[in-house]
């Protein structure tokens, strides 16, 4: 009875070198093949492939005689044999719905008649010349994720897959960061979408590390009116677009079209164009503005020369930009907004917080930066958020004063004060609270002894400190990352 569950999700990881046991120094797979090959052998020879619904091939595959074969236009025999075995394993996996694969040139050619609904492709970063495979359309494909895209690395052609997979609804494209870091204008979206004859009706769109010139591809190949979720990571600028390079913010594709179904926006840059997007849309339910990584300050994306020779200002820390975002969010999305994450660099004032609380009564998960030095501020805030489930007061990455202030108080005192601050409203749904990097789980209201008045009982919520792993599936933490 446990056999179907055991083989429902299968992950086979390959390494480009032999690994050795830390206990006795023996190589993995001694006397037979590597664990990767033996696992693949089991799928091919044993009657278990029919139970597999999610199959992942991850890691690195070391190819032999690479330069000699590719110089003559051949794929190495070892790679072709691996592709054949993997193809047989996939064909035997009749219940397969989701597939992750490394670059295996002939693997996908046999998938045209499969019922795969989710496909993840990771291209190789090698620049060795190699035959380019044509990835066929998949009629049942709903979700496609392609990572490590680099125009200089002989990638497989996925243009037919994008153009003819009529049920495709979720698309994630992750480019290599190399182009943005080098300021290299080598990305041309026509190579991906050039064969699209009907605009794609995507409900979820996510891009990362995109650096390209505005070619107006959205208007030709993609209909934003169907989009419900947009994610942009390292694909836009954080300064005024009037002074920016011709490699403009990706969000401009959406500034001239209505987005009636849009419910989620997630990005790592604050910009004038994001404000424009927030103003032109209505009814968003989830907004996540992560803020740039700390190291971005030292390694800015290369830009074209600016006419007056001056450097563009860092407007992330601009109070004006902060206020523009908050005003656009509260005025256009306040009544529908359930999740809100603002950059930790923005230290919100009392007026900012009051504006959010007053205009967003349905907030369930909230994260923002504020330098609360007294728990009385927290006591005043929580009662006005009747539906709040998770609340985060973010640490300032540019200044450790707030974090240091929180660490001056011992955990027991934190638990007592949080319990008292959140117990004023009956029926409150709050369960999680984070102060800088300190996480607390909040339980029910219980009678407890007042530590300030021994022998006297008081009612407050039970609170205990937890590790970050406890909230890894809560959206306000899970989506506060640069992953796509």
């Amino acid at each position: 009875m446990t056999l179907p569950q055991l083989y429902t999700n299968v992950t086979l990881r390959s390494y480009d070198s032999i690994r050795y046991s830390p206990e006795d120094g023996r190589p993995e797979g001694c006397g037979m093949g590597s664990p990767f090959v033996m696992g693949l052998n089991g799928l091919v020879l044993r009657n278990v492939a029919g139970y597999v619904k999610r199959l992942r091939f991850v890691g690195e595959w070391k190819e032999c005689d690479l330069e000699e074969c590719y110089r003559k236009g051949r794929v190495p025999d070892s790679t072709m044999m691996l592709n054949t075995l993997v193809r047989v394993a996939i064909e035997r996996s009749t219940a397969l719905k989701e597939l992750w694969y490394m670059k295996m040139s002939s693997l996908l050619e046999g998938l045209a008649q499969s019922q795969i609904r989710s496909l993840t492709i990771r291209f190789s970063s090698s620049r060795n010349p190699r035959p380019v495979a044509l990835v066929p359309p998949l009629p049942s494909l709903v979700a496609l994720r392609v990572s490590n895209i680099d125009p200089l690395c002989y990638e497989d052609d996925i243009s037919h897959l994008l153009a003819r997979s009529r049920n495709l609804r979720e698309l994630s494209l992750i480019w290599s960061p190399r182009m943005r870091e080098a300021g290299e204008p080598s990305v041309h979206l026509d190579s991906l979408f050039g064969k699209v004859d009907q605009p794609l009706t995507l409900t979820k769109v996510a891009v990362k590390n995109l650096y390209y010139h505005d070619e107006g591809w959205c208007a030709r190949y993609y209909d934003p009116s169907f989009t419900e979720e947009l994610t942009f990571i390292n694909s836009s600028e954080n300064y005024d677009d009037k002074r920016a390079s011709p490699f403009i913010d990706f969000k401009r594709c959406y500034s001239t079209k209505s987005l009636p179904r849009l419910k989620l926006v997630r990005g790592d840059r604050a910009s004038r164009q994001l404000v424009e997007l927030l103003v032109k849309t209505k009814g968003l339910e989830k907004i996540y503005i992560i803020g740039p990584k700390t190291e971005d300050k030292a390694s800015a994306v290369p830009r074209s020369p600016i006419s007056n020779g001056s450097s563009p200002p860092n407007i992330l820390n601009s109070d004006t930009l902060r206020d523009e975002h908050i005003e656009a969010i509260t005025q256009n999305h306040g009544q529908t907004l359930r999740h809100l994450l603002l950059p930790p660099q923005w230290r919100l004032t009392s007026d900012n917080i009051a504006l959010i609380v007053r205009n967003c009564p349905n907030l369930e998960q909230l994260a923002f930066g504020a330098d609360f030095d007294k728990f009385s501020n927290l006591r005043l805030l929580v009662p006005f958020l009747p539906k709040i489930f998770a609340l985060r007061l973010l640490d300032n990455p540019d200044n450790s004063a707030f974090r240091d202030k929180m660490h001056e108080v011992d955990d027991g005192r934190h638990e007592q004060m949080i319990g008292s601050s959140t117990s004023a409203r009956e029926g409150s749904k709050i369960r999680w609270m984070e102060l800088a990097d300190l996480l607390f789980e909040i339980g029910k209201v219980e009678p407890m002894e007042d530590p300030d008045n021994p022998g006297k009982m008081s009612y407050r919520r039970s609170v205990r400190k937890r590790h970050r792993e406890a909230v890894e599936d809560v959206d306000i933490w899970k989506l506060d990352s640069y992953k796509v």
Side-chain angles (χ1 to χ4, degrees), residues 35 43 98 136 152 192 199 229 284 293 308 320 322 329 350 437:
L43 289 179
E98 181 177 345
L152 303 185
L192 298 178
E229 298 184 8
L284 289 180
K293 295 181 180 179
N308 60 7
T320 302
R322 177 198 65 195
I329 290 170
S350 298
D437 57 350

Side-chain angles (χ1 to χ4, degrees), residues 412-424:
R413 184 63 174 171
H414 271 305
E415 294 172 359
Q416 176 194 351
M417 298 305 296
I418 292 174
S420 300
S421 301
T422 57
S423 61

Side-chain angles (χ1 to χ4, degrees), residues 440-454:
F440 299 91
E441 182 178 10
I442 304 172
K444 298 180 180 180
V445 177
E446 299 176 359
M448 300 181 186
E449 183 177 359
D450 189 344
D452 296 330
N453 299 290

Side-chain angles (χ1 to χ4, degrees), residues 298-428:
S299 57
V301 176
R303 309 178 179 95
S304 61
I306 298 175
S307 57
N308 60 7
S310 61
S311 300
N314 179 12
I315 64 170
L316 177 64
N317 295 322
S318 166
D319 292 344
T320 302
L321 184 67
R322 177 198 65 195
D323 295 343
E324 287 177 356
H325 279 77
I326 293 176
E327 183 178 1
I329 290 170
T330 54
Q331 289 188 359
N332 295 278
H333 313 284
Q335 295 301 312
T336 58
L337 195 62
R338 296 189 295 113
H339 295 185
L340 176 61
L341 169 66
L342 297 177
Q345 290 87 350
W346 291 352
R347 312 313 288 176
L348 270 58
T349 65
S350 298
D351 291 339
N352 295 142
I353 298 172
L355 187 63
I356 293 173
V357 172
R358 184 171 61 250
N359 291 280
C360 305
N362 296 310
L363 278 174
E364 299 171 2
Q365 299 184 30
L366 174 62
F368 61 89
D371 296 320
F372 284 176
D373 56 352
K374 298 180 181 179
F375 277 94
S376 58
N377 301 102
L378 191 61
R379 188 178 294 111
L380 293 173
L381 175 63
V382 173
F384 291 96
L385 298 170
K387 299 183 180 181
I388 198 70
F389 174 78
L391 177 62
R392 301 178 62 195
L393 302 183
L394 303 176
D395 181 34
N396 187 352
D398 301 327
N399 188 332
S400 63
F402 177 62
R403 182 176 67 252
D404 295 341
K405 183 72 175 179
M406 294 298 101
H407 281 273
E408 289 177 1
V409 182
D410 63 73
D411 294 342
R413 184 63 174 171
H414 271 305
E415 294 172 359
Q416 176 194 351
M417 298 305 296
I418 292 174
S420 300
S421 301
T422 57
S423 61
R425 186 181 182 91
E426 292 294 335
S428 176

